[in-house]
Amino acid sequence: MFKNSDFILSTIHQLKESAVSIKWSLRMFLSGDFGKITKEQKDVFEKLYNKNEAQISLIDDLLNTIKIEEGMYAYNKTLFDAEESLEQAISYFEDKIKSKEITIKFEKSHQKLPKIKADKGKIEMVMHNLINNALKYTGAGGTIKIFLEDSGKELKFHIEDSGIGIPKSQQDKVFSKFFRADKTHFAEGGGFGLGLFLAKKIVEDHGGKIWFESKDGKGSSFCFTLPWNNVK
């Protein structure tokens, strides 16, 4: 689909560098590095910061999709604590969770789980994508339940929300590239429809599976697994 990939990759990398520079400038304003700001100014900077974060995420999705199509998508597998990464992923969205007054129920395992061998950065990308989607499509005051389950053969990740759900007529397209659901069913727009496509690619390349259950208007439950044979 993409032509002149070297030029496109170079251009997108430059766009990302500019977006990241803007991000840290906005963060400096929010941190008071340039002096005290009013509440009204803070509100504006926070909105700009969040918009900028969303743009960076879109740029990353484009970069990763091009790399997949060009056979340049590599994995660097190391041992890491999946539960700890999941907790950090939840913390990343703290501001959004507070602003929408959403209740996050993170149920930790009663027993210490062994470390998993996988590409930490890419598995965390999957976590971020699923949590972000749950937040995006769950209304103010809703609930999101997140937990890990050890089945003996695999580690299973659960992200369940009380959001608006996915219409049955669109469910078979959810993991397709560039798929975006009908806007009439979703509270927030934005995105290229690449997040779940990338998540599926990453999980399956690790020998796992990803799936979901959803009812229109009654929330969604996304799950993915990583086999324990990835443990060193």
Side-chain angles (χ1 to χ4, degrees), residues 97-114:
I97 292 167
K98 287 182 178 178
S99 67
K100 293 188 73 171
E101 298 181 341
I102 288 175
T103 299
I104 299 288
K105 296 181 178 179
F106 179 36
E107 299 180 1
K108 292 187 177 183
S109 174
H110 296 300
Q111 297 180 339
K112 180 66 176 177
L113 296 171

Side-chain angles (χ1 to χ4, degrees), residues 82 109 113-117 147-158 203-204 206-211 223-231:
S109 174
L113 296 171
K115 292 183 177 181
I116 196 86
K117 189 175 185 183
F147 62 98
L148 291 173
E149 180 184 358
D150 179 7
S151 70
K153 294 183 178 180
E154 59 192 11
L155 182 61
K156 188 175 181 180
F157 298 73
H158 297 256
V203 170
E204 291 182 349
H206 280 80
K209 296 179 181 179
I210 185 168
W211 70 95
C223 301
F224 72 94
T225 61
L226 293 176
W228 279 125
N229 60 18
N230 278 335
V231 177

